[in-house]
Amino acid sequence: MKSQRPVNLDLRTIKVPITAVTSFLHRVSGIIVFLGLGIMLFALSKSLGSEEGFADVKDYLTSPLAKFVAWGLLSALLYHMIAGVRHLIMDMGVGETLEGGRLGSKIIVALSLVAFVLAGVWIW
């Protein structure tokens, strides 16, 4: 079967709409939250196991790398929550148009950036 459609393989020229970017990031943040939950549950289990385990986890969480990882996990959780609220609002019939979707995506990005900065200030 011969297709007459043009094929564009240059990814630099493809314009991805903001709604697609926010949808993709919502899925990625869900995966990060799911994987990060295992890390945090392991740390919780170790810290509740003994006094030495608690001291180990406390020492580990004071390192800059652990703070960065905690900030990343918290940022993913905040983004996923904000985008999830948007999906709930859209399920009620608000913002289902193309322009409403674009506006909702812009609001998600703005709120998420503010939340990321506040989370960073809180952790550090």
Side-chain angles (χ1 to χ4, degrees), residues 44-87:
L44 178 65
S45 173
K46 184 171 175 137
S47 71
L48 294 176
S50 66
E51 288 184 29
E52 294 83 23
F54 179 79
D56 290 342
V57 171
K58 185 178 175 184
D59 290 340
Y60 178 71
L61 288 178
T62 57
S63 74
L65 177 63
K67 287 184 178 184
F68 182 74
V69 170
W71 175 73
L73 291 175
L74 184 58
S75 296
L77 177 65
L78 290 170
Y79 181 85
H80 195 73
M81 182 186 68
I82 292 168
V85 169
R86 174 185 172 234
H87 281 290

Side-chain angles (χ1 to χ4, degrees), residues 29-48:
S29 67
I31 293 169
I32 292 170
V33 168
F34 178 75
L35 296 175
L37 184 62
I39 295 168
M40 292 308 206
L41 285 175
F42 173 75
L44 178 65
S45 173
K46 184 171 175 137
S47 71
L48 294 176

